[in-house]
Every structure is written in structure tokens, then in C-alpha cells.
Amino acid sequence: MKLKKIMILIVLIICLISVVTYLIVVNSSTEVKEYIPEEEITDEELRNTIVTLYFENKESGEIQTEARLVDSKELLSNPYQYLVNLLIEGPKNEGLRKIIPEGAILKNATLVGECLTLNFSKEFISNAGGDAFSKSNIIYSIINTVTELKEVSRVKFLIEDVESDGFNDVGISFKNEFMRIKN
């Protein structure tokens, strides 16, 4: 009985040695092939990043996202100004509508702590039409876009470097900071 156990153990050891030897031989004789992509990735493509912009849906009137591929180098100097200027330019998606009032210009964007102050030209208010829902969409398309950046949690609006009553005709004052509430 003891001899039988020893024989089984010897056979198992021989099998194990054979498997290990086989694996060593197979791995040493296999050439590692380098992956060569069909197209080289350019430096510009490596710098691309996706940003999320918020525009108004033409059919429903609700705020909706649009993902945009941008050169991350463009975001380095003033990402807030860059993102708001993308909103001013308008969407690429045919189902979405530009929501920033015509002629409005972002004069500057300044981050202090977690509060981003956006200073717009007077056209931001004077050319904004519509009801409270439309004007709220203008505000929250901007807020949702800039709060996609981790460092921004609140937004303050100035008009021509001055605190403004904002869209006081519909009860939206710019005297306070805004936080993200809509998705």
C-alpha cells in the first residue's frame, strides 16, 4: 500500500515536471509580436477630450446635453470662458437650439474659491426673450455646463461688471449665486 502511494507521487511529480518544461519551451520559442496600429495617433488626437454642454431641446424645450470633442489645450488658459463661448456658438446637434441670447458676449470669467463669476455684455439681458421657463433654461444651461468642472459649485452673473436685477420680469435675480439644480 505504501509502495503504491509512492509510485503515484512519483508519477505526479514527473507529470508536473513535464508540464513545466513544456511551458518553458513553448514560451521561450514564441516571438512577441508588436502591435502596430493601422493609423498612427496624432498628437492632436491625443489631446482631445470630451466636454458636456447643455442646450435647449427644440421639441421639448428641456435642457439636454451635447457631448463635444475638443482640444484639451484650448481648456488650459481659461476653461470657463472657453465652455461658455461654446454655448454662445450654439449646438452641433440639429435637434438642439442655441439658448444664449443673440449678441451676448462673455466679457470675462473669474473663479474665486468654488464660485465662478461670469461677466456678460448687456445683450445677455436685453436680447433674452421668452417666459420664466426659457430664461431659467438660459441660466441653467450655463450653470450645468460650467459645474461639470469639479472646481465650480456656484455661479454668479454680472452684467457689464455690475450686479444686476437679472431677468426681474420673471423673478430671476442676479444678486445671488446660483447652484446646479437641473440635469
Side-chain angles (χ1 to χ4, degrees):
M1 182 82 165
K2 196 172 188 180
L3 185 63
K4 193 173 184 182
K5 285 183 180 181
I6 292 175
M7 289 301 286
I8 291 174
L9 186 60
I10 291 174
V11 170
L12 285 176
I13 292 173
I14 291 173
C15 287
L16 183 62
I17 292 172
S18 298
V19 168
V20 169
T21 306
Y22 173 77
L23 290 174
I24 291 172
V25 169
V26 167
N27 285 334
S28 66
S29 66
T30 305
E31 291 182 33
V32 176
K33 294 185 179 181
E34 181 180 349
Y35 172 74
I36 301 173
E38 290 182 27
E39 281 185 41
E40 288 295 320
I41 298 173
T42 66
D43 289 339
E44 290 173 7
E45 290 172 324
L46 283 173
R47 289 192 319 244
N48 285 342
T49 189
I50 296 174
V51 295
T52 303
L53 304 173
Y54 290 78
F55 295 101
E56 190 174 71
N57 183 297
K58 285 182 179 178
E59 291 181 20
S60 69
E62 296 290 326
I63 296 291
Q64 184 178 325
T65 62
E66 178 183 79
R68 185 88 58 91
L69 190 63
V70 298
D71 185 345
S72 58
K73 188 176 179 183
E74 298 289 331
L75 293 170
L76 291 178
S77 63
N78 192 336
Y80 324 109
Q81 183 114 16
Y82 184 73
L83 291 174
V84 174
N85 283 334
L86 288 175
L87 289 175
I88 290 171
E89 289 172 15
K92 302 277 187 201
N93 182 334
E94 296 287 328
L96 300 176
R97 151 184 27 232
K98 176 182 171 182
I99 195 165
I100 306 296
E102 200 62 45
I105 297 169
L106 179 62
K107 297 173 82 176
N108 58 51
T110 310
L111 183 67
V112 177
E114 293 182 356
C115 182
L116 177 64
T117 300
L118 300 172
N119 183 19
F120 282 95
S121 64
K122 65 182 183 275
E123 291 82 7
F124 187 79
I125 291 180
S126 63
N127 293 348
D131 58 7
F133 182 74
S134 298
K135 290 179 178 177
S136 176
N137 278 351
I138 294 169
I139 299 301
Y140 284 100
S141 72
I142 295 168
I143 292 167
N144 289 356
T145 297
V146 297
T147 57
E148 287 287 328
L149 301 171
K150 292 179 185 177
E151 67 269 22
V152 180
S153 66
R154 300 178 319 278
V155 180
K156 176 85 175 146
F157 290 90
L158 298 178
I159 304 299
E160 301 290 344
D161 302 312
V162 178
E163 261 189 13
S164 166
D165 289 334
F167 301 132
N168 58 3
D169 60 327
V170 293
I172 300 174
S173 173
F174 290 175
K175 302 258 183 200
N176 300 313
E177 297 172 352
F178 291 83
M179 295 180 72
R180 181 185 192 121
I181 58 171
K182 289 185 177 182
N183 285 326

